[in-house]
């Protein structure tokens, strides 16, 4: 008899472990003060469970580590580049590849070759580095995500969808020729890892084809997006993640990619394009900012590990376990009554700080405060995704995002189910004493991407 396995249990076993350091409450209080109440400024040694990000924090497989040993460290034409090119073309279907040191390197090049000053770039919610590169190239970003994305209580399954009416409005106001491309993120990080539906992508492709507007994918978490399509969208239940990933890409003209998320590596990224002329421009520009076009700021071994990771990322069993673990944590938090963004997204749990700490006004940084309190309780490091991350507009005014979230990002293949229990229990303890928590004031604010380095004091 064959046993049917429903659990999301991991499709791997552990070969090596890294010991964690436990800290006392006094040590954590001191560390937090020294870090200016910014979890980005904590030393990783001071952290027990690190949920700051899923970026570059994955555990590589034995295959990937073997790939590291096959690094061909040639300045030009490394065989690892060709292996990466093959993986990108086989898994995603894009014709041309420009490797970059990570995602933002690709964003810089894409923005510079596509955007003219005064252009408009619509996107399904902003991402910090993506929007900044668009702005530095002279564009104005417009959010065209559906309204449900800004409502943490909406249970809509595809909160990453683009609102075509919002795009049409921009086209009418500015003209299609002012819109070089629409940036579509799969999944939408700042909405809580929310997916885009295939139906929406198809409609957007039909619309943009008619208007002569390109679609550029921010496909950092495309395999996670594909999993949600497989599980929730009609007609995709019997398709593999690999098939769905390829179909997503087929409706777009190119993509920027951070290998540090889906692709299970600690560093790496690329720009992929289908248009040869644009590729030539990008290939020329990468030499200025990253390195020769056959390494783009990466060592040969990094490209090899990324090529293998891309293939592992689209395996159905891997994705089932990956998202299964995230959902396990989210459901556990909900059992404790903790307000989280619903439905549970792909790469982590997003706790709604406005609902968690309703007595703290947005100007007193509720999500920043909550991230600090969660660290204090048990040494779990999370991050703010709210007013601090949103930054200021070109006039220097604060953006006031509707969502004020604390992100519990789950690194891939790193923590166990028991760690998930500890995380939920610790957050529940903070929730019990939520009424005693006071806000923060910002005492140092850097000019760019302030959330990384800003410092705070307790009110
Ligand atoms: C991480 C990320 C990026 C930028 O990639 P880096 O590798 O960190 O430079 C872009 N878009 C999204 C949605 C991301 O999550």
């Amino acid at each position: 008899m064959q046993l049917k396995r429903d659990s999301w249990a991991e499709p791997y076993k552990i070969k090596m472990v890294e010991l964690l350091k436990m800290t006392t409450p006094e040590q954590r209080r001191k560390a937090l003060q020294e870090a200016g109440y910014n979890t980005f400024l904590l030393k990783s040694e001071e952290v027990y469970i690190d949920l700051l990000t899923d970026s570059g924090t994955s555990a590589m497989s034995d295959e990937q580590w073997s790939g590291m040993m096959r690094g061909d460290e040639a300045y030009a034409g490394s065989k690892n580049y060709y292996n990466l090119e093959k993986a990108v073309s086989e898994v995603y279907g894009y014709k041309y590849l420009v490797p970059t040191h990570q995602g933002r390197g690709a964003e810089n090049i894409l923005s510079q070759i596509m955007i003219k000053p005064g252009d408009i770039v619509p996107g399904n919610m902003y991402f910090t580095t993506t929007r900044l590169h668009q702005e530095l190239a002279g564009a104005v970003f417009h959010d065209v995500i559906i309204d449900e994305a800004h409502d943490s209580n909406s249970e809509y399954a595809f909160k990453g969808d683009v609102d075509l009416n919002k795009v049409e409005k921009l086209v009418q106001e500015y003209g299609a020729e002012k819109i070089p491309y629409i940036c579509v993120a799969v999944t939408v990080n700042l909405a809580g890892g929310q997916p885009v539906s295939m139906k929406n992508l198809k409609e957007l492709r039909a619309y943009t084809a008619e208007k002569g507007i390109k679609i550029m994918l921010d496909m950092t978490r495309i395999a996670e997006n594909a999993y949600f399509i497989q599980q929730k969208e009609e007609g995709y239940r019997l398709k593999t993640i690999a098939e769905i990933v390829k179909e997503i890409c087929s409706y777009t003209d190119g993509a920027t990619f951070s290998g540090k998320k889906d692709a299970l590596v600690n560093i790496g990224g690329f720009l992929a394009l289908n248009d040869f002329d644009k590729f030539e421009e990008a290939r020329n520009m990468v030499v200025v900012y990253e390195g020769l076009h056959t390494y783009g700021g990466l060592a040969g071994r990094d490209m090899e590990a990324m090529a293998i990771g891309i293939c592992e990322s689209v395996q159905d069993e891997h994705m089932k376990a990956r998202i299964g673990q995230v959902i396990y944590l989210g459901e556990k938090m909900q059992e404790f009554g903790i307000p989280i963004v619903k439905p549970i997204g792909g790469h982590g749990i997003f706790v709604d700080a406005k609902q968690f700490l309703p007595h703290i006004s947005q100007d007193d940084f509720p999500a920043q405060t909550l991230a600090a309190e969660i660290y204090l309780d048990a040494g779990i490091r999370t991050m703010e995704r709210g007013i601090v991350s949103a930054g200021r507009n070109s006039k220097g005014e604060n953006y006031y995002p509707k969502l004020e979230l604390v992100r519990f990002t789950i690194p891939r293949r790193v923590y166990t189910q028991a760690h998930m229990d500890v995380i939920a229990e610790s957050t529940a303890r903070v929730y019990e004493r939520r009424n005693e928590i006071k806000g923060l004031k910002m005492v140092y604010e850097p000019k760019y991407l302030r959330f990384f380095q800003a410092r705070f004091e307790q009110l």
Side-chain angles (χ1 to χ4, degrees):
M1 192 183 80
Q2 206 187 345
L3 277 179
K4 192 170 169 299
R5 187 172 70 74
D6 283 326
S7 166
W8 53 267
E10 294 83 355
Y12 52 82
K13 57 184 179 179
I14 296 165
K15 202 191 278 280
M16 188 193 276
V17 297
E18 176 181 338
L19 299 185
L20 299 172
K21 193 173 127 184
M22 311 298 270
T23 48
T24 63
E26 292 70 43
Q27 285 171 327
R28 291 195 290 276
R29 196 160 289 118
K30 187 162 167 281
L32 194 61
Q33 264 165 11
E34 280 170 11
Y37 292 84
N38 185 346
T39 52
F40 274 101
L41 299 178
L42 287 166
K43 294 185 185 127
S44 122
E45 255 191 356
E46 296 160 343
V47 173
Y48 170 41
I49 300 176
D50 203 346
L51 309 181
L52 185 71
T53 176
D54 63 328
S55 179
T57 53
S58 298
M60 291 207 295
S61 66
D62 51 352
E63 285 297 325
Q64 287 178 293
W65 279 109
S66 331
M68 297 286 278
M69 299 303 290
R70 295 194 299 270
D72 171 12
E73 306 307 342
Y75 192 92
S78 153
K79 72 176 179 210
N80 312 118
Y81 165 78
Y82 294 102
N83 290 343
L84 179 61
E85 190 186 42
K86 185 160 169 274
V88 169
S89 121
E90 284 181 4
V91 175
Y92 305 118
Y94 292 120
K95 284 192 200 144
Y96 307 114
L97 166 74
V98 179
T100 56
H101 76 286
Q102 60 183 82
R104 69 198 68 181
E107 291 169 353
N108 172 36
I109 293 167
L110 180 74
S111 300
Q112 293 204 43
I113 63 171
M114 299 289 290
I115 294 170
K116 293 186 302 307
D119 279 351
I120 303 294
V121 177
N124 53 345
M125 204 173 264
Y126 81 100
F127 182 74
T128 52
T129 58
T130 320
R131 185 178 67 189
L132 183 60
H133 280 298
Q134 292 159 0
E135 289 173 346
L136 288 172
V140 177
F141 169 84
H142 283 266
D143 187 3
V144 292
I145 203 165
I146 55 171
D147 288 340
E148 284 87 341
H150 295 285
D151 173 4
S152 71
N153 284 316
S154 160
E155 295 266 9
Y156 183 62
F158 293 99
K159 284 165 94 172
D161 278 359
V162 171
D163 186 333
L164 276 120
N165 292 321
K166 291 184 186 171
V167 179
E168 168 65 15
K169 238 178 154 172
L170 288 174
V171 169
Q172 292 197 350
E173 198 176 335
Y174 300 98
E177 65 288 351
K178 280 271 175 221
I179 305 178
Y181 64 93
I182 297 185
C183 176
V184 179
V186 286
T187 58
V188 183
N189 190 344
L190 273 87
Q194 300 296 326
V196 178
S197 67
M198 199 71 89
K199 180 168 170 285
N200 187 247
L201 278 168
K202 280 190 213 171
E203 287 168 1
L204 187 66
R205 175 77 292 180
Y207 175 85
T208 52
E210 198 183 293
K211 304 281 177 193
I213 299 171
K214 300 230 177 314
I215 300 178
M216 292 297 169
L217 215 52
D218 175 350
M219 65 165 185
T220 289
R221 295 183 184 81
I222 189 170
E224 293 176 8
N225 199 111
Y227 179 79
F228 287 110
I229 290 176
Q230 184 191 55
Q231 297 300 310
K232 295 183 179 177
E233 189 163 350
E234 218 189 302
Y236 287 91
R237 199 59 217 230
L238 298 175
K239 293 227 154 94
T240 63
I241 300 285
E243 287 167 332
I244 298 170
V245 161
K246 208 145 181 195
E247 186 180 339
I248 294 174
C249 296
S250 75
Y251 301 127
T252 71
D253 301 289
T256 54
F257 185 75
S258 168
K260 302 172 69 174
K261 314 332 183 349
D262 258 6
L264 301 159
V265 285
N266 307 119
I267 194 73
F270 61 74
L271 171 63
L273 294 163
N274 283 336
D275 181 284
F276 182 75
D277 293 338
K278 284 291 165 203
F279 164 64
E280 283 233 291
E281 272 185 67
R283 185 166 57 172
N284 189 213
M285 190 162 277
V286 75
V287 239
V288 181
Y289 292 101
E290 307 279 319
L292 193 68
H293 61 276
T294 54
Y295 76 85
L298 295 170
R301 55 180 174 267
D302 298 330
M303 292 190 281
E304 190 65 27
M306 183 156 65
I308 297 166
I310 285 169
C311 300
E312 290 179 0
S313 78
V314 296
Q315 287 167 7
D316 285 57
E317 278 295 309
H318 162 68
M319 206 40 76
K320 180 179 175 185
R322 158 66 175 158
I323 310 259
Q325 187 178 47
V326 174
I327 291 176
Y328 175 85
L329 173 61
E331 287 177 347
K332 192 117 195 164
M333 285 203 183
Q334 283 178 300
E335 283 167 27
F336 286 120
I338 297 162
I340 65 169
V341 173
K342 287 165 277 179
I344 294 166
H347 61 295
I349 301 303
F350 291 68
V351 171
D352 186 332
K354 276 188 183 169
Q355 283 186 54
F356 199 113
L357 300 171
H359 57 285
I360 298 183
S361 92
Q362 199 165 16
D363 286 310
D364 295 340
F365 311 111
Q368 190 77 29
T369 304
L370 183 53
E373 293 293 333
I374 284 163
Y375 171 72
L376 269 185
D377 185 79
I380 296 162
R381 170 153 72 171
T382 58
M383 87 152 83
E384 192 258 19
R385 275 299 182 226
I387 186 166
V388 184
S389 294
R392 293 175 187 272
N393 66 18
S394 53
K395 291 187 210 114
E397 299 152 347
N398 274 317
Y399 286 108
Y400 281 88
K402 289 202 186 98
L403 296 177
E404 188 68 31
L405 307 175
V406 175
R407 189 177 89 173
F408 292 63
T409 346
I410 312 300
R412 295 166 187 77
R413 309 195 290 207
V414 171
Y415 292 113
T416 66
Q417 184 164 333
H419 286 120
M420 299 301 122
D421 292 337
V422 170
I423 296 160
E425 288 157 11
S426 171
T427 311
R429 275 195 300 274
V430 178
Y431 193 55
E432 273 168 26
R433 61 174 180 81
R434 62 189 178 278
N435 293 328
E436 303 155 23
I437 297 172
K438 292 190 187 67
L440 295 169
K441 67 167 189 257
M442 204 189 301
V443 293
Y444 167 66
E445 178 176 355
K447 189 164 166 211
Y448 299 112
L449 303 174
R450 66 183 181 186
F451 58 96
F452 283 129
Q453 290 147 344
R455 300 185 70 86
F456 301 82
E457 278 170 12
Q458 271 184 318
L459 281 178

